[in-house]
Structure formats: C-alpha cells, structure tokens
C-alpha cells in the first residue's frame, strides 16, 4: 500500500506549520506572523512536493504508514520541547542543535530514512526564518562557513602532525645514529635497529565515507569496509603500552562515523560486534571521550550479544569482553556505580573467556575501590593481588596503586623486581618489528618514571645517586614513551 502524494504534501505542510507556530516565542519570534504566508511561496511549495515524492510509499518498522510515524515524531508537543531547548543556543549552534534533536526524535519513533527528511525540513525551516530575518540569515551562513573551515583545519593539523613526525625522524638520522647501547641503538645480525623507522611506524590514513547521507545499503557496505580498514590499522599498531600523543591526536581526528553503529539497519550481531570492537579499540587507544549516546549504544549492543550472541565464536567473545572492560572504565570514571556493578557481575561470570580475565577484573574491582576513596580496602586488596610474572602491565598497574596509597617501601621492592625482569626480557628479544619488544620498552619507561617518583617519596631531602641513574634511564627509554613530550603537550592544551 502506498500513500497519495497530496496526502504527504499536506502532512509536511502541517509539520512546517507546527514549526512556525511553536517558534513564535523564540529568539526570532517576529517572523511567526508571516511564516504561514510564506508557506504559499512557490519555491517552498515545490520543495515540499520534492520531499513528498521521496516519501511516497515508505513505511516504518511496524509496517504502518510512514507519514503517520513521521507526524507522530514531529508532533506539536515534541516540536515545542525541541524549539524551547534550542532557544538557549545562539545562531552559530542552532542548526546543529536542531539537527541533533530531530535525529534523536526520529530514532525514538523509529523513523527510517530520516536523514534526507531532516535535511529538507531543517533547510525549509531556516528558509522560512532567515527570509524574514536577514541578520539571522547572515549568522547561519557564517556558521556553515565556520564548520567547513574547522573540518579543513582538522585535516591540515593531522597531516602536519604526520609531516612533523617524518621530519623529526629525518633530523635524527641526519645527525648520525648514536652508537652505544646506552644511546638507544642496537645492532642485530649486522643490521642497525631500534630508532629505525620500521620499529615505530604506524601510518594512519583517513577513510572517507558518506556516513549517514548514504542509503542504508551503502551504509552497510561502508560499515563492512570501515571495519576491515580499522582492523588493518589496529593489526599494524607497533605495540606501545600507551600510544604517543601525536599518534593519539591523529587517531582521534581519523575516527568518525560512530553513529553508523546504530543508524545502520539489517546488520547481523556479529557484524555489529566486529565494528564496535574496532571503534572502541580506537577510542581506548586514542583516549577519545565517549559521548553519552555512544556509551548507551555500546552498552545496548554488549547486552544484546550477551543475550543473543553465538558463544561458540571465541574471537567474537573476546571482543565482547574487551568492550565490557571499556564500559567498566567508562562507568567507573563517571562514578555510575549501578551500571558498573551490573556489567561487572556479568563479566565476572564470563572471565574465563580471556586468559587474563580474572586478574584484570580483580584489578578493575580495586580501581573501583580507589575511585570510591576506600583507601584502606585498596591497600589490603592490592597487597593480596598476584598475577603471572609476565603480566608486566598488570604488575605496573599494581605498583602504581601501591604508590598512590602510600605503600612506598613495598612499591619500591616490586618495581625493582619488575624492572630487572623487563630489562632481561628486552635483552633476549628480537627487536625488529617486534610488538612485544615495543610494549615491554613502553612499560619499562613507565616503570622507571614511577621509580623516580617512589624514590623521591622515600628520600625527599636526600641527594640520591639512584635517582640520577633512574632519570638517565627514563631518557634512554623515552623513544618508547616520552613523558616530557606528553607533559608539554598537556600544558599546551590547557
């Protein structure tokens, strides 16, 4: 069953009239009296017909007429609420705010193919208002211009960061490679490795998609291709314990289209888990802040897989577990303890999915106590915590909490043991293109930085030769992770 075009035109005009009526008490209320007359304008009328022809025959998810669903979404009450809220925004944020709220509305009412509808309605709405308010029209124009400039700036900044990294490497080589082991150059089988380009190379590229502007079929294809592309970049990750700040900034700039996760219909749960895993990995690696809507959708997918996933697929199970760990961190940092507990209880029952599952969840529980400032409990739990010796990252995490809670003597002893084991492990590892070598070097860099902190805590007023030796070792391992560069970047961002 299809809809008559005239019926759709009437419905759209009704929606626009609602927009005009409900905007009467807003910052441009003076245009409301003429907005209804403007609806009779031929240009507006032709645009309404154009949109109406696209809508004819469409249906919503429950197989009812699409127009009914659309009219329910754009009801008078809903529009009043939206327009009241965007009154708080100036003209430079108004269009983005309106698009976001109309998108949320369509999602709530399960309006499919909503993007083109929203584009058309927003465009017509601002034509109605801007025609009667030249000042606002100018502001909206500069808003669009500013957004385009910001996108261009983001691309330029990321490209310049890549060029800067290349020039930095070339500069080091041009002054000659340092020859001693203490100066960070290793020789293996006659080949110089260590500060070489291959060891730390991670060339990120921006993957362009049409995002929400394409059809649902195109979105599905883009999700598949984007998942493959992001997986390839993840697999080429050198192995840093924490990625350098320049790489994090580039990764953040190149990680977009997260809304494809919930705006694309018809994907299997396995496809969604694959895409979500790559997305979450990039967010975790790049220290990218989760929006509330992304956090909620990630949780819904995580819960859906728990209830309906194929638990015979071990690789998908591991991805589900990783996503759950990310949610635990998110809820802990938000101090959303009810959500944290719900996820933790489920994860605890599934800890055997990962070889390190029980150990990592035990550490997460201690982190939770720390965030709640239950320091006595943290001190008790952290001293009881144990893991396999080669879990170097967990051991560093443990020592860090010990130092935070004032257990400096114990932290010092465990740090010295950890450093000795890492030094030995690195000595016996092949260096060239070895992720374990890079990760151990990164953890060792963090261990020396923490050791310097602990020594100063133990001997705050003494000249300490060990502290100077430790600072030298920090400099030596800065190629794996440069704390000085991180601090400078943090200061620049203030």
């Amino acid at each position: 069953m299809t809809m008559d075009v005239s019926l759709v035109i009437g419905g759209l005009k009704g929606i626009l009239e609602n927009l005009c009526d409900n905007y009467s008490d807003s910052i441009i209320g003076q245009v409301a009296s003429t907005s209804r007359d403007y609806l009779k304008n031929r240009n507006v009328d032709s645009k309404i017909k154009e949109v109406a022809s696209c809508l004819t025959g469409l249906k919503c998810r429950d197989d009812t007429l699409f127009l009914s669903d659309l009219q329910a979404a754009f009801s008078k009450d809903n529009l009043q609420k939206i327009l009241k809220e965007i009154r708080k925004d100036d003209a430079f944020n108004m269009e983005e705010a309106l698009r976001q709220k109309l998108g949320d509305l369509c999602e709530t009412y399960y309006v499919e193919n909503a993007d083109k509808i929203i584009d058309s309605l927003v465009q017509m709405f601002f034509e109605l208002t801007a025609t009667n308010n030249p000042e606002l029209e100018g502001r909206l124009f500069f808003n669009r211009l500013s957004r385009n400039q910001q996108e261009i700036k983001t691309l330029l900044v990321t490209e310049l960061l890549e060029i800067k990294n290349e020039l930095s490497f070339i500069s080091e080589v041009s002054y000659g490679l340092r020859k001693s082991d203490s100066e960070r150059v290793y020789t293996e089988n006659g080949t110089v490795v260590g500060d070489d380009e291959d060891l730390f190379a991670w060339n990120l590229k921006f993957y362009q998609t049409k995002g929400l502007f394409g059809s649902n079929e195109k979105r599905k294809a883009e999700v598949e291709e984007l998942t493959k592309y992001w997986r390839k970049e993840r697999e080429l990750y050198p192995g840093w314990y924490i990625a350098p700040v320049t790489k994090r900034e580039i990764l953040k700039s190149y990680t977009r289209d997260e809304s494809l996760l919930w705006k694309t219909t018809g994907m299997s749960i396995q496809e969604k888990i694959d895409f979500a895993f790559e997305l979450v990995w990039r967010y975790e690696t790049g220290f990218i802040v989760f929006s509330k809507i992304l956090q909620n959708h990630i949780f819904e997918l995580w819960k859906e897989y728990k209830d309906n996933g194929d638990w015979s697929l071990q690789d998908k199970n591991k991805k589900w577990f990783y996503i759950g760990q990310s949610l635990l961190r998110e809820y802990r940092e938000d101090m959303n303890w009810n959500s944290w507990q719900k996820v933790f209880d489920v994860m605890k029952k599934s800890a055997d999915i990962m070889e390190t599952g029980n150990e990592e969840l035990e550490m997460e529980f201690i982190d939770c106590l720390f965030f709640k400032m239950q320091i006595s409990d943290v001190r008790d739990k952290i001293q009881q915590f144990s893991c396999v010796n080669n879990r170097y990252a967990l051991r560093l995490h443990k020592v860090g909490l010990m130092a935070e809670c004032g257990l400096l003597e114990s932290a010092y002893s465990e740090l010295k043991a950890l450093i000795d084991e890492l030094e030995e492990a690195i000595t016996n590892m092949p260096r060239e293109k070895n992720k374990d070598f890079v990760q151990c070097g990164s953890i060792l860099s963090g261990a020396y930085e923490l050791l310097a902190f602990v020594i100063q805590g133990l001997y705050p007023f003494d000249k300490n030769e060990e502290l100077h030796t430790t600072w030298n070792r920090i400099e030596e391992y800065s190629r794996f992770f440069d704390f000085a560069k991180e601090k400078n970047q943090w200061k620049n961002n203030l």
Side-chain angles (χ1 to χ4, degrees):
M1 177 180 180
T2 58
M3 292 178 286
D4 185 83
V5 175
S6 62
L7 177 63
V8 180
I9 292 173
L12 285 173
K13 281 194 173 183
I15 290 168
L16 285 172
E17 286 173 355
N18 271 336
L19 281 166
C20 298
D21 289 343
N22 292 309
Y23 215 72
S24 60
D25 62 345
S26 69
I27 58 174
I28 52 172
Q30 63 266 30
V31 309
S33 60
T34 58
S35 294
R36 280 181 175 276
D37 293 334
Y38 188 68
L39 282 171
K40 299 174 183 177
N41 181 290
R42 287 185 179 181
N43 290 332
V44 175
D45 201 55
S46 65
K47 288 186 178 183
I48 292 176
K49 288 180 180 178
E50 181 184 336
V51 178
S53 65
C54 294
L55 299 181
T56 303
L58 293 176
K59 297 181 180 181
C60 63
R61 293 185 186 180
D62 59 2
D63 210 32
T64 60
L65 287 178
F66 184 82
L67 181 61
S68 301
D69 200 65
L70 189 66
Q71 287 175 324
F74 290 89
S75 68
K76 184 175 181 179
D77 289 342
N78 285 337
L79 291 172
Q80 282 179 332
K81 183 178 179 181
I82 286 177
L83 296 172
K84 183 178 180 181
E85 289 178 358
I86 70 170
R87 284 182 62 188
K88 303 169 186 176
D89 297 301
D90 58 30
F92 289 95
N93 298 320
M94 193 185 299
E95 181 177 351
E96 185 176 347
L98 183 58
R99 284 182 181 276
Q100 178 65 43
K101 293 186 182 301
L102 291 178
D104 293 344
L105 200 61
C106 288
E107 185 178 342
T108 301
Y109 282 82
Y110 300 107
V111 175
E112 297 181 356
N113 305 293
D115 300 321
K116 187 169 184 179
I117 302 167
I118 292 172
D119 286 341
S120 302
L121 289 175
V122 169
Q123 182 65 30
M124 285 189 284
F125 176 61
F126 280 111
E127 283 185 11
L128 288 174
T129 54
T131 299
N132 293 276
N133 190 327
E135 181 184 355
L136 178 64
E137 184 178 21
R139 291 180 183 178
L140 294 170
F141 169 77
F142 283 111
N143 173 34
R144 291 189 176 103
L145 184 63
S146 176
R147 278 197 310 190
N148 290 338
Q149 288 176 333
Q150 186 60 41
E151 290 179 1
I152 293 171
K153 178 183 175 182
T154 299
L155 290 173
L156 284 173
V157 167
T158 52
E159 291 297 328
L160 286 171
L161 283 171
E162 289 187 339
I163 293 171
K164 181 181 177 182
N165 289 340
E166 294 296 326
L167 289 175
S168 176
F169 169 73
I170 292 170
S171 176
E172 288 182 11
V173 173
S174 66
Y175 283 101
L177 291 170
R178 298 169 182 173
K179 295 182 180 180
S180 69
D181 189 281
S182 64
E183 289 178 313
R184 304 178 296 170
V185 174
Y186 298 86
T187 302
E188 184 178 321
N189 298 326
T191 302
V192 177
V193 294
D195 268 342
D196 62 327
E197 184 178 7
D198 289 342
L199 188 62
F200 299 107
W202 195 35
N203 298 316
L204 298 166
K205 300 295 180 184
F206 180 61
Y207 189 90
Q208 182 69 49
T209 68
K210 290 187 177 180
L212 299 181
F213 295 102
S215 66
N216 190 68
E217 288 304 312
K218 287 183 179 178
R219 288 184 213 168
K220 286 176 66 177
E222 286 186 336
V223 167
E224 182 180 353
E225 290 303 312
L226 193 57
T227 302
K228 291 178 181 177
Y229 192 83
W230 284 354
R231 181 189 300 126
K232 182 178 179 181
E233 288 194 331
R234 174 176 55 81
E235 290 170 348
L236 293 173
Y237 183 70
W240 295 294
Y241 179 50
I242 297 175
V245 61
T246 52
K247 291 299 183 183
R248 297 201 307 269
E249 289 177 348
I250 294 171
L251 187 65
K252 179 179 179 180
S253 297
Y254 288 175
T255 302
R256 302 182 185 181
D257 298 318
E258 64 275 4
S259 57
L260 287 172
L261 179 64
W262 60 90
K263 294 287 189 180
T264 307
T265 59
M267 291 196 298
S268 69
I269 192 168
Q270 287 81 14
E271 290 172 324
K272 288 190 284 187
I273 278 288
D274 284 341
F275 180 66
F277 171 75
E278 300 301 337
L279 178 66
V280 169
W281 183 88
R282 292 171 78 90
Y283 265 70
E284 292 291 326
T285 304
F287 294 1
I288 306 173
V289 178
F290 281 65
S291 66
K292 201 67 180 176
I293 189 170
L294 175 59
Q295 186 186 97
N296 291 340
H297 281 288
I298 290 292
F299 171 76
E300 289 300 325
L301 175 59
W302 179 86
K303 185 174 180 295
E304 181 186 358
Y305 188 88
K306 174 184 74 73
D307 296 334
N308 305 311
D310 184 352
W311 289 90
S312 66
L313 303 174
Q314 187 63 9
D315 65 318
K316 301 292 188 291
N317 297 344
K318 290 180 178 180
K319 291 176 180 179
W320 173 85
F321 193 89
Y322 179 86
I323 292 170
Q325 288 180 288
S326 179
L327 286 171
L328 287 173
R329 180 196 56 75
E330 279 285 302
Y331 293 142
R332 169 165 46 83
E333 293 179 359
D334 288 344
M335 296 191 177
N336 182 352
W337 303 124
N338 288 335
S339 296
W340 183 92
Q341 193 64 55
K342 289 176 182 177
V343 174
F344 185 82
D345 289 344
V346 174
M347 296 279 285
K348 196 67 177 172
K349 297 175 183 177
S350 309
D352 291 339
I353 287 174
M354 303 291 289
E355 186 178 353
T356 60
N358 284 299
E359 296 165 343
E360 292 186 19
L361 287 178
E362 186 179 353
M363 184 60 74
E364 172 62 36
F365 181 77
I366 299 172
D367 283 335
C368 177
L369 294 175
F370 184 76
F371 268 68
K372 291 179 177 180
M373 299 304 292
Q374 298 176 12
I375 304 302
S376 296
D377 293 334
V378 175
R379 288 167 63 99
D380 292 340
K381 294 285 186 183
I382 202 65
Q383 291 182 93
Q384 296 169 16
F385 178 85
S386 63
C387 61
V388 179
N389 284 346
N390 63 1
R391 309 276 198 259
Y392 300 125
L394 276 172
R395 290 172 64 186
L396 181 62
H397 193 150
K398 173 186 177 179
V399 176
L401 282 172
M402 293 174 76
E404 289 276 7
C405 294
L407 299 169
L408 295 179
E409 292 84 358
S410 299
Y412 177 81
S413 299
E414 296 214 16
L415 264 176
K416 293 292 287 183
L418 175 61
I419 287 171
D420 288 344
E421 290 176 39
L422 280 167
E423 293 273 18
E424 183 179 357
I426 286 177
T427 302
N428 296 325
M429 279 182 186
R431 278 88 170 172
E432 195 170 3
K433 293 185 179 180
N434 187 331
K435 292 186 178 183
D436 290 337
F437 176 70
V438 174
Q439 185 178 56
C440 285
S442 301
I443 296 171
L444 188 54
S445 175
Y448 274 119
E449 190 78 26
L450 184 55
L451 180 62
F453 168 81
V454 169
I455 291 172
Q456 290 174 85
L458 288 171
Y459 311 104
F461 305 112
D462 298 341
K463 291 184 178 180
N464 193 294
E465 185 61 34
E466 185 181 14
L467 180 59
H468 290 286
T469 302
T470 301
W471 283 338
N472 290 334
R473 299 298 272 174
I474 290 172
E475 171 62 23
E476 177 182 341
Y477 284 98
S478 64
R479 68 189 181 119
F480 292 100
F481 189 77
D482 195 331
F483 279 88
K485 189 178 290 185
E486 293 281 328
K487 292 171 187 174
N488 289 336
Q489 188 63 39
W490 181 78
K491 290 177 183 177
N492 293 337
N493 290 337
L494 290 178

